[in-house]
Amino acid sequence: MTCLIGTVAGVFDLTGRPLLEGRAISHLARRREEWWGVGDDGLWRDGELVAVPAPGVTLNCVQPSPETVWMGADSARLYRLEGDRLVEDPGFAATPGREEWHTPWGGPPDVRSMSLDADGVLYVNVHVGGIVRYGPDGPSPTLDIHADVHQVVAHPERSGVVVAACASGLAESVDGVEFTFRTEGLDHRYSRAVALDDDTVLVSSSRGPRGGDARLHRGRLGEGALTPVPGLPAFPGNLDTHCLLAGPEGYFLGHESSVWASPDGGDTWSVSVDDLPKVTCLT
């Protein structure tokens, strides 16, 4: 399994073969050979529905860990899997400063993305509520909520190395607590997607929430200007959260009904699969 594709109508592999049909999937994640997904129905594992949330709870993202499976939900709630039940985490519900979390349109905030670092520390992106670092001592706020974070990714092999796609550019941290912003080389500062491949960071940019002139950039972690990735067009709309993937097996980008792939670290790209239902996520 090189790359799995979540869509509004199921899960597909890179050949376009369906692994789960007829279900809207909002996010996918991998734990060893298992794939986990969340969608309208609840939590899925390898195509089997394993847990259903309580009425009124919408699951947005999933992060398996060695001990459990975490799920981020609407109203800035964090759940974990216990047997076949989804249990809200009381520690996250008591995060300092959460009374200030909000959305630009006045609704309740969401847990939008999550990521584990090499030490098993969970980084939780609240939209809009910054990034919460959830370690052995409990949850603590890090990046200012006004950064308007859209996706957080922690380095799987370097504890504390964390990147985030924000409304004001790329945020980076080397300790998981203090963040700095990088905008040099970005066509626009508004960003929704970010990915890591060892020392390389990939980040999207567009004109704003409505998108337009959406492009992909790359650079070395913590070094110099970001540069546009060759071989990709400027896309309409946005290159969205969870639709960018980077690793030793290749780089992948989902947009609308297509998935683009690069086998050489982003130097060349081609459409790997097309005519899918609208792509929502990759893993």
Side-chain angles (χ1 to χ4, degrees):
M1 289 189 294
T2 304
C3 175
L4 298 183
I5 307 160
T7 75
V8 296
V11 179
F12 299 81
D13 66 16
L14 276 178
T15 70
R17 177 174 64 96
L19 305 179
L20 173 66
E21 293 187 271
R23 307 291 183 178
I25 299 297
S26 55
H27 186 224
L28 291 169
R30 187 80 59 82
R31 183 170 67 182
R32 296 182 292 276
E33 295 303 312
E34 299 174 327
W35 63 263
W36 294 80
V38 291
D40 292 347
D41 297 322
L43 176 67
W44 296 81
R45 179 180 62 202
D46 291 338
E48 299 290 332
L49 186 64
V50 297
V52 177
V57 176
T58 300
L59 302 179
N60 298 325
C61 53
V62 58
Q63 177 60 64
S65 75
E67 297 81 21
T68 188
V69 178
W70 296 99
M71 286 145 285
D74 64 332
S75 298
R77 291 175 284 188
L78 184 67
Y79 289 82
R80 62 180 183 271
L81 181 64
E82 292 187 2
D84 61 354
R85 297 186 308 121
L86 305 184
V87 178
E88 186 174 1
D89 184 80
F92 187 78
T95 302
R98 68 175 291 137
E99 66 277 0
E100 298 180 24
W101 298 349
H102 65 279
T103 55
W105 52 92
D110 283 343
V111 173
R112 184 180 176 112
S113 68
M114 298 183 290
S115 191
L116 280 176
D117 76 1
D119 289 339
V121 175
L122 183 67
Y123 293 86
V124 184
N125 155 213
V126 178
H127 187 253
V128 174
I131 297 172
V132 176
R133 183 184 188 275
Y134 203 170
D137 296 330
S140 57
T142 61
L143 188 61
D144 186 270
I145 67 173
H146 300 293
D148 194 0
V149 181
H150 298 128
Q151 185 175 4
V152 63
V153 173
H155 202 294
E157 297 176 352
R158 302 181 193 177
S159 59
V161 175
V162 183
V163 295
C166 307
S168 50
L170 171 67
E172 294 183 334
S173 176
V174 296
D175 61 6
V177 178
E178 300 293 332
F179 285 79
T180 58
F181 275 88
R182 291 175 65 186
T183 58
E184 185 181 358
L186 291 178
D187 289 273
H188 311 283
R189 292 191 175 188
Y190 185 86
S191 176
R192 282 196 183 174
V194 66
L196 280 173
D197 175 30
D198 195 18
D199 284 330
T200 299
V201 59
L202 300 175
V203 64
S204 71
S205 75
S206 78
R207 290 195 179 105
R210 296 182 182 275
D213 196 35
R215 299 177 185 270
L216 186 62
H217 300 73
R218 66 179 172 181
R220 300 273 294 180
L221 269 174
E223 295 182 18
L226 299 158
T227 59
V229 170
L232 284 176
F235 293 91
N238 273 294
L239 302 178
D240 222 341
T241 306
H242 300 312
C243 290
L244 179 61
L245 186 66
E249 294 183 341
Y251 293 0
F252 302 93
L253 174 66
H255 185 263
E256 296 296 342
S257 63
S258 303
V259 174
W260 294 68
S262 172
D264 51 15
D267 288 334
T268 61
W269 295 79
S270 62
V271 175
S272 181
V273 58
D274 205 351
D275 297 323
L276 293 166
K278 181 176 175 58
V279 176
T280 57
C281 53
L282 305 174
T283 192

